[in-house]
């Protein structure tokens, strides 16, 4: 396996480290630049002559490219740099590892931004060959798509303004305005009567963050892994409360009946967890925004 960091990426790591020291442990910069978004990119050995009895994969092989649905506004996870149009982050690396085992180099990947509310449609209509984007595995979704994984487990948490002392956990949201994302599990959770929150529903996480900064809402809820990225982007302005109140196991989404592809993706995930690529990618991305590394349990479930 070849692993390489570009000189630019190295420079960015150094810049981040300097900022982290200056801000007491938080990585990121105060400006609009997206720290952590393009710091890590590895090459993975591309498998040859891959034969999998999957209609999705066979179509991709014929086309010579594979289309992968991802997020574009989640620093350290799935982020598209507007200056270069390149995607980076932990989910992007996971997507690349799988693609390599299926026989596709990074150059043969067509990343497609797909927001939370249209994931099931994009997968079931074949607009993407698979999807890697903070996608929680659950029974409701399994009615429409299938999942390989989990490759990571997050938990819903709260992002608040740094000086907010009133919100200390999900039980302090009575009457508070809380922003979350249409089609996401944390939005479903926070709508439960017991929290008493007034929800503000958006399609993009970046809009929730904007509304938190300008005072339109009091908090943003989604997975801690995502929120930590936003907090790291704006040190001194936003913080994560740190009391996760759900479990969000991340899976790779794919067409419901494509068992052969699911098995191949499961095997790919297991391979890269075993050979260390996974841990390196984690430490180069999510680890930088403060999510501690936890080795995923293997073997992964097969069904
Ligand atoms: N993991 C949650 C979900 O799948 C929230 C993050 C997201 O919207 O992607 O709904």
């Amino acid at each position: 396996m070849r692993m390489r960091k570009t000189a630019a990426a190295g420079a960015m790591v150094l810049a981040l480290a300097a900022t982290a020291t200056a801000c007491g442990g938080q990585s990121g910069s105060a400006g609009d630049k997206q720290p952590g978004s393009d710091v890590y990119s590895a090459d993975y050995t591309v498998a040859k002559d891959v034969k999998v009895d999957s209609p999705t994969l066979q179509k991709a092989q014929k086309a010579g490219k594979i289309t992968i649905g991802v997020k574009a506004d989640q620093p350290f996870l799935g982020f598209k740099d507007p200056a270069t149009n390149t995607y980076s982050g932990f989910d992007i690396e996971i997507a690349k590892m799988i693609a390599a085992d299926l026989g596709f180099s990074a150059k043969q990947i067509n990343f497609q931004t797909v927001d939370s509310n249209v994931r099931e449609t994009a997968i079931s209509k074949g607009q993407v060959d698979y999807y890697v984007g903070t996608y929680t595995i659950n029974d409701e979704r399994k009615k429409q798509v299938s999942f390989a994984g989990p490759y990571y487990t997050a938990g819903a948490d709260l992002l608040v303004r740094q000086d907010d002392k009133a919100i200390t956990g999900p039980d302090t949201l009575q009457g508070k305005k809380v922003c979350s994302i249409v089609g996401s599990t944390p939005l479903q959770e926070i709508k439960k009567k017991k929290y008493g929150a007034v929800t503000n529903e958006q399609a993009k996480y970046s809009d929730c963050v904007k509304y938190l900064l300008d005072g339109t809402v009091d908090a943003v809820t989604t997975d801690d892994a995502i929120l930590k990225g936003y907090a790291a982007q704006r040190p001194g302005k936003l913080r994560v409360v740190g009391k996760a109140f759900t479990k969000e196991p991340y899976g790779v989404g794919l067409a419901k009946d494509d068992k052969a592809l699911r098995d191949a993706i499961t095997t790919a995930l297991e391979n890269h967890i075993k050979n260390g690529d996974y841990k390196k990618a984690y430490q180069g991305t999510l680890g930088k925004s403060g999510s501690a590394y936890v080795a995923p349990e293997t073997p992964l479930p097969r069904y």
Side-chain angles (χ1 to χ4, degrees), residues 225-240:
I226 304 171
L227 296 179
K228 282 177 188 171
Y230 293 125
Q233 267 188 326
R234 296 179 177 82
K237 292 213 169 111
L238 301 177
R239 67 184 173 86
V240 179

Side-chain angles (χ1 to χ4, degrees), residues 26 90 99 102 114 204 206 240 245 253 264 296 300:
Q26 277 178 305
F90 181 60
L102 296 177
V114 178
K204 289 200 180 289
S206 31
V240 179
F245 52 97
L300 297 171

Side-chain angles (χ1 to χ4, degrees), residues 173-177 195-198 218:
L173 295 176
Q174 282 291 337
K176 298 283 184 192
K177 295 183 200 115
Y195 297 111
V198 183
D218 303 306

